[in-house]
Amino acid sequence: MAPILAAAIVLAFIALGELVSLWSKARVPALLVAMLGVFVFAKAGIIPADLVETSTMVALGALIQPALMVHMGSLIPLSVILQQWRAVLIALAGMVVGVGFVLAAVTPLFGFEYAVAGSGPLAGGIVSTALTTQGLTGAGVAGAVLVVPTLVLMLQSLPSMPLTNLLLRRYALHLRDAAGAASSNRVTAGGAAPQRGATGAVSGSGDDAAAPRSELRSDTTLTDPPTADATFTDRPAADATAEPPRDGGLGGGATRRTLVRLPESLRENQLFLLFLVLLAGSAAFYLGQWTGVSYSIWGLALGIALTALGVLPDKILEGSNSFGLAMAAIICIVIAPLMGASIADVLASLAPVVAILLIGMLGILIGGAVMTKLLGWDPRLGMPVALTAMFGFPADYLIVQEVVRSTGRDEAEQEALRTRILPPMLIGGFTSVSAGSIVIASVLVSLL
C-alpha cells in the first residue's frame, strides 16, 4: 500500500473520532473511537496490521516531537500561569498524588513497568502517552505492558468527565443562587418585595429555580475564583466570550509586552515560524543529549522562556499551520503499539488498566481536595480543576460550555459563570496535561 493512502486511512479513523466526540459533546472520547476502530479493523483483516508504519506518520511524529514540546510551552502566557497560581497548585497536587498512588499500589500488584506505563498517560494526554510508549520500547519492554499507555489514554476520560460535569454544575448553581439571594436580601432590606420582571424573572424548577438575577454580571476576575460564600458581585470587570478566542480566553497574545518584538511580517510568516519552532526543538534535543535531562523537559522550558521573552509567538505550531499534522503524527505513535498487539495482550492488560484508572483517579481527587482545602477554594471548583489531568483541552472547555448553558438562564448569567469557571479549568488542564505529565513521564521512563 502506498504511504499516502495508508496515511489517509489512518487519518480517516482519527477524523471519525473527532466527529463522534463533537456530536456527543465530548462524552465519547475521540481517541477511544479512533484507536478502537483501527484495532478492530486490523484484527478483522480489513486493514493491514502495518498500516500505521506504512503511513510514515510515526517517523514524522519522532521528528516533530521536540518541536511539539516547545509548542506546549508556548500555549499559555507565563503571566496568566502566575495569576492562576491556585489552579496550578491544585492541578499539580492532584497529579502528583494520583501518580504516587499508582506507583505505590500498582507496583506490588502488577510490577513497576505497569505502574510506569500508566502513570504518564493518567496524568496527561497524547504527548505524555507517546513519551511513555517510546520509553517502554527503548527499554526493551514488550507484550501486554506496551498496550497499557494507549488503553489508559483511551479510557481515562470515561469516569472523570461525568464527575467533573456534576461538580461544576453544582458550583455554578451555587454561584447563581447565592448571587440571587444576596440581591433579594438587599431589596427586602429596603422595604420592597423582590421584583420578577426583566431582571428578576425566575425560570425552571427544583434546583434550577432561584432568586432574582439582577446581580449576576460578568464583572468577575480571571485570577481568583471565590470561596463557597462569595458571589458574582465582588470583583472587578473582566471579559468572557461564548466561543474560544485564539488565546483560549486567558489573555496574552499580541498585546502583551515582551523584551523582544518580532516584526509583524515575520510573526505571520508560516514558514519562518516553522523554522523557529524546529530550531528551538533541535536545541531542546541536543540539550537533552548533553545534560541527560529529557529533551521534553528542555522543550517545555524553552517554550515557556522564549515565549515570555517574545522570541517565539504564542501557540507557535498553530501559527505555522502545522499543529494538526503534528498531533496526527503523535497519535500515530500512540496507535502503533496497539496495531501490533494481540487480543490476548489487550485482555491481559485490562486488569492493570482498570486498577490504574481507579487508583489514580482516587489519588487525583484526594490530592486536589487537600490542596483545595488549604487554599480555601470551593471544592466544587477545585476538584474539577484537579480532574482535568484525565481529559484536558478541549474537553475541559466543552464541559464548561455545557454547564454554563444548562445553569445560566440568560446570556448575562452564562457569561458571568463562564468567566468564573473557565480560566482555572483551562489552566488546570495545561498544568497537568500539557506540562506536568510530560515531566512525570520523562522522569519515570528514565527509571526503567
Side-chain angles (χ1 to χ4, degrees):
M1 181 180 294
I4 189 170
L5 178 58
I9 295 174
V10 173
L11 289 174
F13 284 100
I14 296 173
L16 176 63
E18 293 293 332
L19 289 175
V20 172
S21 178
L22 181 63
W23 293 333
S24 66
K25 297 182 179 178
R27 290 185 179 89
V28 179
L31 290 174
L32 175 63
V33 176
M35 295 177 183
L36 188 61
V38 170
F39 179 74
V40 170
F41 273 60
K43 296 310 170 186
I46 300 174
I47 59 176
D50 62 349
L51 179 74
V52 176
E53 294 292 341
T54 302
S55 70
T56 70
M57 295 289 284
V58 173
L60 176 61
L63 169 68
I64 203 69
Q65 199 158 344
L68 185 60
M69 299 299 107
V70 176
H71 169 79
M72 292 295 184
S74 73
L75 284 178
I76 298 180
L78 182 60
S79 60
V80 177
I81 298 175
L82 295 176
Q83 289 171 350
Q84 287 282 355
W85 62 272
R86 294 174 180 84
V88 171
L89 289 181
I90 291 173
L92 287 175
M95 179 179 60
V96 170
V97 175
V99 170
F101 271 41
V102 170
L103 293 174
V106 174
T107 299
L109 291 175
F110 303 101
F112 183 66
E113 292 177 345
Y114 277 98
V116 171
S119 294
L122 175 77
I126 297 171
V127 178
S128 59
T129 303
L131 288 172
T132 301
T133 300
Q134 290 177 326
L136 292 171
T137 304
V141 177
V145 181
L146 275 180
V147 188
V148 170
T150 303
L151 291 181
V152 171
L153 180 66
M154 290 168 59
L155 302 174
Q156 64 180 346
S157 62
L158 294 181
S160 57
M161 287 177 59
L163 179 58
T164 299
N165 189 295
L166 174 65
L167 291 171
L168 284 182
R169 176 176 169 78
R170 290 183 176 180
Y171 178 66
L173 288 171
H174 163 75
L175 283 182
R176 189 195 72 181
D177 296 348
S183 175
S184 177
N185 289 338
R186 281 191 289 272
V187 173
T188 302
Q195 297 298 313
R196 298 175 181 268
T199 61
V202 176
S203 62
S205 59
D207 64 356
D208 284 334
R213 57 186 177 225
S214 58
E215 294 298 324
L216 290 176
R217 309 194 309 264
S218 61
D219 55 352
T220 52
T221 182
L222 297 181
T223 62
D224 188 16
T227 60
D229 297 326
T231 65
F232 282 107
T233 59
D234 57 348
R235 302 296 182 190
D239 292 328
T241 55
E243 297 300 325
R246 184 171 178 79
D247 62 4
L250 294 173
T255 60
R256 191 173 72 252
R257 288 188 176 184
T258 56
L259 183 64
V260 178
R261 182 67 181 172
L262 293 176
E264 198 66 27
S265 58
L266 294 181
R267 293 175 62 88
E268 296 179 355
N269 189 300
Q270 297 172 0
L271 290 178
F272 181 76
L273 294 183
L274 183 59
F275 158 72
L276 281 183
V277 72
L278 288 176
L279 182 62
S282 299
F285 177 82
Y286 282 108
L287 284 170
Q289 295 284 307
W290 296 334
T291 64
V293 178
S294 173
Y295 70 83
S296 57
I297 298 176
W298 280 112
L300 279 175
L302 287 175
I304 293 173
L306 294 177
T307 304
L309 292 173
V311 177
L312 299 180
D314 296 338
K315 302 184 178 182
I316 185 167
L317 275 181
E318 293 183 22
S320 66
N321 276 352
S322 306
F323 181 69
L325 184 60
M327 289 306 298
I330 297 300
I331 291 173
C332 287
I333 292 178
V334 176
I335 292 178
L338 192 62
M339 295 288 287
S342 65
I343 295 179
D345 287 336
V346 173
L347 294 177
S349 66
L350 286 181
V353 167
V354 172
I356 289 166
L357 290 175
L358 294 180
I359 295 170
M361 183 172 172
L362 176 63
I364 290 173
L365 289 171
I366 292 175
V370 171
M371 186 57 69
T372 298
K373 180 69 174 179
L374 292 175
L375 295 176
W377 264 27
D378 191 311
R380 290 165 291 191
L381 176 63
M383 304 287 274
V385 168
L387 284 172
T388 56
M390 299 185 72
F391 47 84
F393 187 86
D396 49 8
Y397 175 82
L398 295 175
I399 290 174
V400 172
Q401 288 294 87
E402 183 177 350
V403 166
V404 301
R405 280 196 298 263
S406 64
T407 56
R409 293 162 299 188
D410 55 30
E411 291 185 5
E413 284 188 0
Q414 291 177 15
E415 185 176 351
L417 290 168
R418 185 182 298 109
T419 303
R420 183 69 81 184
I421 298 172
L422 182 60
M425 287 292 289
L426 292 180
I427 286 291
F430 169 80
T431 301
S432 53
V433 175
S434 300
S437 65
I438 294 173
V439 176
I440 287 177
S442 301
V443 172
L444 290 180
V445 296
S446 68
L447 302 177
L448 292 171

